[in-house]
Amino acid sequence: MKRLVLASGNAGKLREFRALLAPLSLQVISQAELAIAPAEEPHPTFIENALAKARHASAASGLPALADDSGLSCV
């Protein structure tokens, strides 16, 4: 089974991604399980922050990583 790091500490997101990716034989591991500290999120967009988090988790783990940054917005 291939492993994938979820660059998030959110238990709900971890459950969702595990369920979504299980049919593809992907084992989703949280960055916390690998003792990876959260990445900085200094960017102005959700996309840039998600990329920063995924790149950070991948570099720290040596595994492919996935991140989601849906954030909160006020208009």
Side-chain angles (χ1 to χ4, degrees), residues 20-66:
L20 284 169
L21 298 174
L24 300 176
S25 297
L26 290 171
Q27 178 188 15
V28 181
I29 305 161
S30 73
Q31 66 185 17
E33 291 175 77
L34 300 174
I36 299 171
E40 297 293 322
E41 298 182 49
H43 304 289
T45 68
F46 297 142
I47 292 171
E48 290 172 302
N49 283 324
L51 283 169
K53 292 191 292 187
R55 289 174 176 153
H56 171 78
S58 181
S61 68
L63 297 168
L66 173 70

Side-chain angles (χ1 to χ4, degrees), residues 1 4 8 17 21 24 27 33 36 44 58-59 62 65 71-74:
M1 182 176 279
L4 176 76
S8 175
F17 279 108
L21 298 174
L24 300 176
Q27 178 188 15
E33 291 175 77
I36 299 171
S58 181
L72 297 176
S73 296
C74 295

